[in-house]
Amino acid sequence: MAHGYVDLNQLWQRLGEAVAAHAEPLPTPLLVVDLDAFDANAADLARRAGGTPVRVASKSLRVPALIERALRKPGFAGVLAYSLREALWMHEAGISNDIVVAYPTVDRGGLAELVASPSAASAITLMVDDVAHLDMVDSVRSSKAVPVRLAIEVDAGLRLGRQHVGPKRSPLYDGPSVTALAKVIERRSGFRLVGVMTYEGQVAGVPDDVPGQRARSMVVRRLKQASVSQLMARRHEVAEALAPYGPLEFWNAGGSGSIETSAADPVVTEVAAGSGLLVPGLFDHYQSFQARPAAYFGLPVTRKPTPEMVTVHGGGLVASGPVGDDRAPIPWAPPGLHLTGLEGAGEMQTPLTGHQAALLAIGDLVWFRHAKSGELFEHGTTAHLVRGNRIKDSVPTYRGAGLAF
């Protein structure tokens, strides 16, 4: 989708009309999701997966209605949750009966709930990469009558000699290290090994076609190619090593930026995606897919310090990760607005410069994009679902449902 001045001005007008047509004044920050873009992104993710099921990464949405919307789309199946408490709530709410927790947990209270519920234990799979994770489960139960489903996470980073490129996640890397844990799981009652996860964040989560960064983008693409090649061989090795421990139900891999290469690996049975449904700022510049932003937050102009500058109320919704300009929110519509170097995006106010600032009046809305998907919805209780120039529904975020995971 084009991001030219005409397109962004049309977006500004369309979202403004949707807000103006609403029956009641809406508080800010005003969180909106463009359903047309969301649905188109879902179809594109399924197309890129080429028949491999797509598991919905809930951390990239954090709005129950959007998670359910994605699960209803062809090609999507199951949820990749980011905490055990979230998975327990999701199961109880009836959102899914196939939930994999993407990170190991040491939440003793949550584990106690899990082992006390045969229904939850049959629907939720825990992630492990250390015997200590098994010990934590056993520490909260007096009976092993309810088996706990487990998946082993295998490090999917690129190894170049002593260098490691990629997220620092699992300590398990090769066949021997993975089978050492699989042996322990097999020998201990009350556990079932059902899956494996290999998340290649250095492929899925790093832009590789950034304007003005041709040399760097070329290096990133080469590292991605090397990573995909190395990981395909290593997945095959680990799969062979695990074969004596029985058939697995799933092998999860990938993310929104690496769906094609992950799905092409015959070992992989499912891919994960979430950011690709909303396309935040960090996902603008990929060769593998077309950026189609679907989530925005609106802030009102409350001051005009100079005729060529406006100040909006709030705006300091900075993304997690390494500190840098790419973690700041992006003034998006109307086009041509910029954060200032001295103040940036502030908690209470955000000054904006640019030629469009002179045309804005106090009370006008400026629409921003968050740098990371999902984190936006921690900053509000309601997400307004827009189609065309009308708000079709207003639904609670996790925060709006009284949830903080």
Side-chain angles (χ1 to χ4, degrees), residues 57 77 110 120 167 189 210 276-277 279 345 350 368:
S189 62
V210 182
L277 291 165
V279 188
T350 297
F368 293 73

Side-chain angles (χ1 to χ4, degrees), residues 44-284:
D44 193 46
L45 289 168
R47 176 192 60 79
R48 291 170 57 207
T52 300
V54 180
R55 186 177 289 275
V56 180
S58 62
K59 82 175 183 68
S60 298
L61 296 178
R62 309 193 203 191
V63 178
L66 293 180
I67 296 170
E68 292 177 303
R69 188 181 189 88
L71 288 173
R72 292 194 296 268
K73 298 296 182 184
F76 287 75
V79 175
L80 189 66
Y82 62 91
S83 82
L84 175 56
R85 298 277 182 169
E86 179 202 21
L88 290 165
W89 176 83
M90 204 174 293
H91 170 257
E92 185 177 353
I95 291 175
S96 177
N97 61 0
D98 176 11
I99 308 166
V100 177
V101 183
Y103 305 88
T105 183
V106 294
D107 179 353
R108 290 169 56 86
L111 290 170
E113 286 187 37
L114 180 73
V115 298
S117 170
S119 175
S122 68
I124 297 171
T125 301
L126 299 182
M127 196 64 59
V128 298
D129 60 38
D130 195 296
V131 173
H133 297 139
L134 311 185
D135 296 338
M136 188 66 65
V137 176
D138 281 341
S139 73
V140 302
R141 59 180 176 179
S142 57
S143 167
K144 297 184 179 180
V146 177
V148 174
R149 295 166 53 85
L150 301 178
I152 294 177
E153 180 167 8
V154 183
D155 175 69
L158 172 64
R159 300 289 177 100
L160 299 171
R162 294 185 177 182
Q163 291 187 319
H164 177 281
V165 181
K168 308 305 184 283
R169 294 171 65 107
S170 173
L172 309 177
Y173 180 76
D174 53 16
S177 64
V178 175
T179 54
L181 181 56
K183 286 179 183 178
V184 176
I185 295 171
E186 184 182 50
R187 292 170 183 168
R188 289 175 69 158
S189 62
F191 296 102
R192 285 180 54 217
L193 178 61
V194 299
V196 171
M197 184 168 82
T198 47
Y199 171 60
E200 59 275 32
Q202 73 280 6
V203 182
V206 182
D208 57 10
D209 193 18
V210 182
Q213 298 182 17
R214 182 178 178 183
R216 182 183 184 279
S217 295
M218 188 175 296
V219 170
V220 170
R221 288 197 291 271
R222 288 176 178 172
L223 286 173
K224 286 187 176 186
Q225 291 168 359
S227 184
V228 168
S229 177
Q230 184 184 96
L231 185 54
M232 187 171 287
R234 199 149 50 80
R235 282 197 189 109
H236 180 74
E237 174 204 344
V238 172
E240 284 194 334
L242 286 175
Y245 300 92
L248 298 172
E249 293 180 17
F250 67 87
W251 190 300
N252 181 277
S256 294
S258 65
I259 282 184
E260 294 91 343
T261 55
S262 298
D265 190 331
V267 170
V268 173
T269 65
E270 62 176 47
V271 292
S275 295
L277 291 165
L278 296 178
V279 188
L282 286 172
F283 278 76
D284 273 352

